[in-house]
């Protein structure tokens, strides 16, 4: 009797799909949430890069700026980050100039968690070849504190950072009248 029951049970396949689904579903759900989290993080990182590039580009197009114009440029950076919160975005734009083998800060403005650099402080550029003697360089930095909406793969916030360097387009240096 027991043998007959076990033989019948062994050949019964009516619940196999439900058992397979119960085994695979948690794995598939974990992979899905991991991919969603990766895609969101990648998008935040790319937008942080785009913010620094755009701020540098908009600043380098001008011969002279005011603090209100720089604030407007920072506002564009906030719009680029959407749908992410602009409260987690920090930006800094700095004009530096080379004199001999020294590069110094001409002016600097920042918002968010970044502070402006001190005027006339020495600034280190990746290469002095970027900057001919007597000319200026625009340095735009962005930092975004990404907090995952799912907290599955990234339970702690991650800060994405990017720095863009651009030479002024119309003049040797970009002036800021009230910086």
């Amino acid at each position: 009797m027991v043998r007959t029951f076990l033989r019948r049970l062994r050949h019964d396949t009516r619940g196999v799909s439900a058992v397979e689904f119960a085994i695979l579903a948690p794995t598939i759900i974990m992979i899905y949430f991991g991919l969603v989290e990766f895609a969101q993080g990648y998008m935040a990182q790319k937008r942080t890069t785009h913010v620094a590039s755009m701020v540098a580009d908009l600043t380098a197009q001008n011969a002279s700026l005011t603090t209100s114009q720089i604030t407007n440029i920072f506002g564009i950076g906030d719009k680029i980050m959407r749908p992410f919160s602009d409260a987690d975005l920090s930006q800094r734009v700095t004009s530096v100039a080379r004199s001999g083998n020294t590069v110094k800060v001409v002016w600097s403005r920042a918002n968010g968690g970044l502070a402006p650099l001190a005027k006339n402080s020495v600034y280190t550029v990746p290469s002095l070849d970027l900057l001919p003697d007597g000319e200026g360089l625009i340095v735009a930095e962005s930092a975004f504190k990404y907090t995952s909406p799912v907290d599955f793969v990234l339970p702690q916030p991650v800060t994405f950072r990017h720095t863009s360097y651009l030479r002024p387009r119309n003049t040797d240096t970009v002036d800021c009248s009230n910086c």
Side-chain angles (χ1 to χ4, degrees), residues 51-103:
V51 166
S53 298
M54 183 62 71
V55 168
D57 184 42
L58 291 172
T59 304
Q61 290 178 25
N62 297 284
S64 179
L65 289 168
T66 63
T67 55
S68 64
Q69 289 173 312
I70 294 171
T71 301
N72 291 339
I73 291 172
F74 286 156
I76 292 169
D78 293 342
K79 305 271 186 289
I80 291 170
M81 287 307 295
R82 287 188 181 165
F84 300 106
S85 171
D86 59 355
D88 297 323
L89 177 65
S90 301
Q91 303 174 72
R92 175 171 48 213
V93 64
T94 305
S95 177
V96 298
R98 179 178 173 186
S99 178
N101 286 330
T102 305
V103 178

